[in-house]
Amino acid sequence: MLTRYYSIAERQQFVDRTEILAQLEAAALRLDAGQRPIHLALFGPRRLGKTVVLKELMLRLRQRSDLACVYVNVEPLASTPWAFATQYIGWCVYWLTAPADAWQEAYLNWPGLLRASMPAPLHQLLLEVYAAFDSTTALPMQWLTAAFNFPERASAVLGLPLVVLLDEFQTLRNLSNQPDAGDVLAMFRQTLSGDRTGYVLAGSHVSAMRWIVQDSHRPLFGQFTQLALG
């Protein structure tokens, strides 16, 4: 499964990132030790290997049986609240439960998600979450809240601490321009209070990422340890 997203050729390009990777792995292993998560923000312009670092981290974490890991590229999802929320949940389920030969497209819509094979407790959680999407009175804020809360809830029902890697995170701001979406970054911040899920945010638009995590007037100020990819 991971080979589709992290080819042998890409793996051979992973060089000279020992320190960054050690910091990322150390934060992940805190979860396995039952400690409170440390959330990280990784800055780096395009073509410096930011995504490869995330994929290398995911490869190493997925080789462990005591941790789960999810990778989501936010950029193609952040068009509408419905599309983002549905596909965000779909990617979580895909990385957590899909067999090696499964294609991700089957997990990026509700009919496919609800038919997918998975542990019964996770399927029950999906049915509960789907109620917010199937309701005629639900608002975009409810879809987004359900999606942001899903990793922590999935971690609980599966009994595994979870690391969530969100690439091109700065594009999430686009959703706040949608009607009734609300302050998307403030909604995301609420998920950071969980004790089973750690987040790594990455973005190639460095000024936007710094604005998100360093501006004292923004919801995510002070929530992330910052790492610069030189």
Side-chain angles (χ1 to χ4, degrees), residues 64-138:
R64 303 179 61 95
S65 61
D66 49 2
L67 280 171
C69 187
V70 165
Y71 170 83
V72 181
N73 183 354
V74 174
E75 189 168 23
L77 278 58
S79 56
T80 68
W82 174 277
F84 173 83
T86 302
Q87 294 178 62
Y88 184 80
I89 292 171
W91 277 113
C92 289
V93 176
Y94 174 76
W95 288 117
L96 291 173
T97 68
D101 59 349
W103 287 94
Q104 74 276 9
E105 287 83 359
Y107 291 79
L108 302 183
N109 59 79
W110 279 107
L113 260 179
L114 296 176
R115 288 195 304 266
S117 176
M118 67 189 72
L122 186 60
H123 189 260
Q124 185 59 43
L125 172 60
L126 266 182
L127 291 175
E128 180 183 334
V129 171
Y130 180 61
F133 289 76
D134 197 37
S135 170
T136 58
T137 60

Side-chain angles (χ1 to χ4, degrees), residues 19 22 108 125 139 162 226:
E19 183 177 348
L108 302 183
L125 172 60
L139 296 173
L162 175 60
Q226 299 166 44

Side-chain angles (χ1 to χ4, degrees), residues 140-141 144 173 175-187:
M141 292 177 63
L144 292 170
R173 299 182 304 163
L175 294 176
S176 292
N177 299 324
Q178 298 288 321
D180 299 318
D183 188 336
V184 178
L185 294 179
M187 281 185 277

